[in-house]
């Protein structure tokens, strides 16, 4: 049954949503990056969604709406270049179809099971209470008369960051599992046996993940777009707080610090093994030289 736009008439009902009145925002992170230029061409050929104009200072985001409506509430999609997509009022079957369509425009696609596991959703509806768009107890309330695409963008931006962070959290857990045997060997006092290429690869994975979280994303700071837009910044920050982005980022960095210490230990162990091999080579060369001297001595006095 198609959900219709709901109007909340008092604060009590604003805090107690019902399944019948709520629509849904669903976010996925499916790849490292989308080709938005290719997406625009693909959508034009498909002719099911039409791009909507965004503010000039909004970059690397494609906002589209369905050409064919199923009710009063439009079906909208925000596509972020960094490989995340946010659906507003889009049924699950249609979301699956769009996700399949996106595959051809992805770079560095993620595993489908991980994408599904790390997806996120929030309910939303419309309200006339306080005549202001806001977030109440994890529920988005859009102003009935004055809600804007930029307000939806602010919520979408925060949710896109959250699901991308979820993908990185999953990647870090996979990394931790992959080096679990190292800590076990250390605990037992055994010898760590890893090739140089393996150690370098593990270091590369670790520092690549650290770069993504701290330098290539907005996990640590508010995007410049919001600095002169107090209302939108408030919506973005409240959504980030609800999704625990700051806390999750801090926990990830603490885990990364421990992994860096272990990576340093692996590198140090590798260097020690290299030094030991050099020492044995030097000893072998000395033994060979001594052997030649002995042979020369015997030849001289025999």
């Amino acid at each position: 049954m198609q959900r219709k736009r709901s109007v909340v008439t008092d604060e009590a009902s604003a805090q107690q949503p019902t399944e019948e009145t709520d629509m849904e925002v669903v976010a996925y992170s499916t790849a490292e990056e989308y080709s938005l230029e290719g997406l625009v061409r693909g959508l034009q050929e498909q002719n099911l969604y039409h791009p909507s104009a965004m503010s000039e200072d909004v970059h690397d985001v494609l906002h589209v709406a369905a050409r064919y409506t199923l009710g009063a509430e439009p079906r909208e999609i925000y596509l972020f270049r960094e490989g995340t997509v946010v659906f507003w009022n889009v049924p699950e079957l249609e979301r699956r179809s769009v996700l399949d369509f996106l595959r051809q425009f992805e770079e560095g696609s993620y595993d489908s099971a991980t994408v599904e596991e790390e997806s996120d959703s929030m309910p939303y509806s419309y309200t006339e209470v306080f005549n202001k768009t806001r977030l109440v107890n994890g529920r988005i309330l859009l102003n009935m008369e004055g809600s804007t695409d930029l307000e939806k963008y602010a919520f979408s931006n925060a949710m896109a960051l959250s699901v991308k962070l979820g993908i990185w959290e999953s990647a870090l857990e996979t990394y931790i599992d992959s080096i679990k045997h190292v800590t076990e060997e250390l605990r037992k006092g055994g010898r760590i046996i890893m090739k140089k290429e393996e150690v370098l690869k593990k270091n590369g994975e670790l520092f690549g993940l650290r770069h993504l979280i701290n330098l290539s994303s907005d996990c640590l700071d508010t995007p410049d777009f919001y600095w002169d837009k107090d209302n939108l910044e408030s919506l973005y920050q409240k959504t980030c707080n609800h999704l625990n982005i700051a806390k999750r980022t801090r926990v990830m960095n603490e885990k990364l610090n421990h992994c860096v210490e272990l990576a340093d230990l692996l590198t140090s162990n590798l260097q020690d093994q290299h030094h030991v091999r050099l020492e044995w080579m030097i000893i072998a060369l000395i033994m060979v030289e001594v052997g030649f001297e002995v042979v020369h001595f015997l030849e001289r006095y025999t």
Side-chain angles (χ1 to χ4, degrees):
M1 181 177 64
Q2 174 62 33
R3 294 170 178 165
K4 296 182 179 180
R5 178 179 295 187
S6 60
V7 178
V8 181
T9 57
D10 55 65
E11 187 65 13
S13 61
Q15 296 184 4
Q16 297 179 358
T18 62
E19 185 177 353
E20 291 74 23
T21 59
D22 281 339
M23 291 162 284
E24 192 175 33
V25 190
V26 185
Y28 300 87
S29 181
T30 68
E32 293 179 3
E33 187 175 328
Y34 291 148
S35 170
L36 294 187
E37 296 77 16
L39 257 174
V40 171
R41 293 191 295 269
L43 290 169
Q44 289 173 344
E45 294 175 1
Q46 192 184 49
N47 202 33
L48 294 177
Y49 302 89
H50 62 87
S52 300
M54 294 285 291
S55 172
E56 292 182 356
D57 49 357
V58 175
H59 303 290
D60 295 328
V61 179
L62 178 61
H63 175 218
V64 301
R67 291 185 180 276
Y68 307 100
T69 60
L70 301 176
E73 176 66 12
R75 306 191 314 282
E76 299 174 274
I77 306 174
Y78 289 84
L79 298 134
F80 294 80
R81 187 179 294 276
E82 61 268 18
T84 56
V85 54
V86 182
F87 299 92
W88 288 76
N89 190 41
V90 178
E92 182 178 359
L93 186 60
E94 186 175 350
R95 294 200 304 267
R96 300 295 174 199
S97 177
V98 172
L99 291 177
D100 289 339
F101 171 75
L102 288 176
R103 286 289 179 182
Q104 58 190 305
F105 305 104
E106 295 177 349
E107 296 181 13
S109 299
Y110 299 140
D111 176 73
S112 297
T114 304
V115 169
E116 184 64 33
E117 184 179 353
E118 300 302 333
S119 64
D120 207 347
S121 64
M122 294 178 69
Y124 82 96
S125 59
Y126 288 82
T127 177
E128 291 178 340
V129 178
F130 301 137
N131 196 34
K132 182 180 180 182
T133 295
R134 61 200 186 281
L135 184 69
V136 179
N137 295 335
R139 182 184 178 207
I140 298 170
L141 299 176
L142 299 173
N143 177 15
M144 184 69 179
E145 301 299 330
S147 63
T148 67
D149 288 337
L150 283 180
E151 289 176 338
K152 284 187 175 181
Y153 166 76
F155 290 118
S156 300
N157 195 2
M159 292 186 69
L161 180 60
S162 177
V163 292
K164 179 63 76 172
L165 183 59
I167 292 291
W168 293 335
E169 287 170 332
S170 177
L172 180 57
E173 291 303 320
T174 300
Y175 179 90
I176 291 172
D177 289 340
S178 72
I179 59 173
K180 196 172 183 179
H181 68 281
V182 175
T183 57
E184 289 294 324
E185 288 297 327
L186 288 173
R187 185 176 62 83
K188 295 177 182 178
R191 183 184 176 187
I192 303 173
I193 302 176
M194 288 186 71
K195 295 181 179 178
K196 179 181 178 180
E197 293 77 12
E198 292 178 308
V199 174
L200 290 175
K201 182 180 178 181
K202 288 301 177 185
N203 285 345
E205 291 177 12
L206 183 61
F207 286 100
L209 190 56
R210 205 175 193 183
H211 176 87
L212 288 172
I213 295 169
N214 295 294
L215 300 179
S216 298
S217 74
D218 296 315
C219 291
L220 298 178
D221 197 9
T222 303
D224 295 347
F225 169 76
Y226 298 102
W227 285 2
D228 58 348
K229 302 174 180 63
D230 293 340
N231 178 53
L232 295 178
E233 181 179 6
S234 176
L235 296 177
Y236 174 82
Q237 289 287 6
K238 286 180 179 178
T239 309
C240 287
N241 291 339
H242 171 71
L243 297 169
N244 289 324
I245 289 177
K247 180 180 178 181
R248 290 161 60 193
T249 302
R250 184 171 63 254
V251 170
M252 278 202 71
N253 274 317
E254 290 175 357
K255 290 182 177 181
L256 283 168
N257 288 337
H258 288 296
C259 289
V260 168
E261 291 179 5
L262 186 56
D264 289 341
L265 180 61
L266 289 175
T267 302
S268 176
N269 178 72
L270 191 65
Q271 290 174 343
D272 289 343
Q273 292 179 2
H274 180 66
H275 292 157
V276 169
R277 284 196 297 270
L278 287 178
E279 290 173 358
W280 278 109
M281 289 174 64
I282 292 171
I283 292 172
L285 289 173
I286 293 173
M287 293 296 294
V288 170
E289 186 177 355
V290 169
F292 278 122
E293 290 297 328
V294 170
V295 170
H296 291 161
F297 176 82
L298 293 176
E299 288 178 349
R300 184 182 305 172
Y301 292 99
T302 56

